[in-house]
Amino acid sequence: MTAVGIRRLTPGDKEDWNQLWQGYNRFYKRSVEERVTERLWDRLIAGTGEPFGFGAEVDGRLCGFAHYFFQPSTSDWNPRCYLQDLFADPDIRGKGVGRALIEAVYAEADRHEAAQTYWLTEDSNATARLLYDRIGKQTRFIKYMR
């Protein structure tokens, strides 16, 4: 198995992170305004508020990321950890990058005594769901939005 390093993102990661971010947005067929991307990057790097993020590195190259938030809950004393964005470069999938990123978020959630860690994915994301079914539990909830 390829050695995957997990670390906080640094200012020098911006170009590689942005390429991954654009790939993530293409995968989900969504358009994100440049100002939203810039705000996200600034917050990730500042480390002073949410979202928080990790980068995955293989052979010295940034090849994945995870962005997450802590949210108060009406049914738990401690916050919940929401893993909003998870992406691995398609050229390196199957090498443990996604698992390593999720485990890093799990560890951070545990450090903050989060009541749970959760994330969403499209029902058609079969490749990712193979991993998610091994390291998480699908819930009975269905998402609605306006």
Side-chain angles (χ1 to χ4, degrees), residues 75-95:
S75 57
D76 293 308
W77 182 260
N78 290 340
R80 293 177 177 188
C81 180
Y82 174 45
L83 172 55
Q84 184 169 10
D85 307 313
L86 178 70
F87 188 72
D89 183 329
D91 293 338
I92 200 144
R93 290 201 184 132
K95 305 288 185 194

Side-chain angles (χ1 to χ4, degrees), residues 95-112:
K95 305 288 185 194
V97 171
R99 175 184 286 273
L101 284 163
I102 292 170
E103 288 175 352
V105 173
Y106 278 168
E108 192 69 4
D110 288 348
R111 194 169 75 73
H112 285 81

Side-chain angles (χ1 to χ4, degrees), residues 19-116:
Q19 285 185 349
L20 292 166
W21 176 244
Q22 297 308 322
Y24 177 75
N25 292 321
R26 278 190 304 276
F27 178 82
Y28 280 110
K29 297 175 180 73
R30 67 183 196 174
S31 176
V32 175
E33 291 180 64
E34 183 60 29
R35 68 183 181 156
V36 173
T37 295
E38 286 299 318
R39 181 183 63 191
L40 170 58
W41 176 253
D42 290 345
R43 288 181 177 172
L44 288 168
I45 293 305
T48 56
E50 297 179 285
F52 301 103
F54 288 113
E57 194 174 68
V58 171
D59 297 329
R61 183 177 71 85
L62 190 70
C63 61
F65 62 75
H67 307 146
Y68 60 96
F69 297 84
F70 289 100
Q71 302 174 321
S73 170
T74 60
S75 57
D76 293 308
W77 182 260
N78 290 340
R80 293 177 177 188
C81 180
Y82 174 45
L83 172 55
Q84 184 169 10
D85 307 313
L86 178 70
F87 188 72
D89 183 329
D91 293 338
I92 200 144
R93 290 201 184 132
K95 305 288 185 194
V97 171
R99 175 184 286 273
L101 284 163
I102 292 170
E103 288 175 352
V105 173
Y106 278 168
E108 192 69 4
D110 288 348
R111 194 169 75 73
H112 285 81
E113 299 180 341
Q116 67 175 236

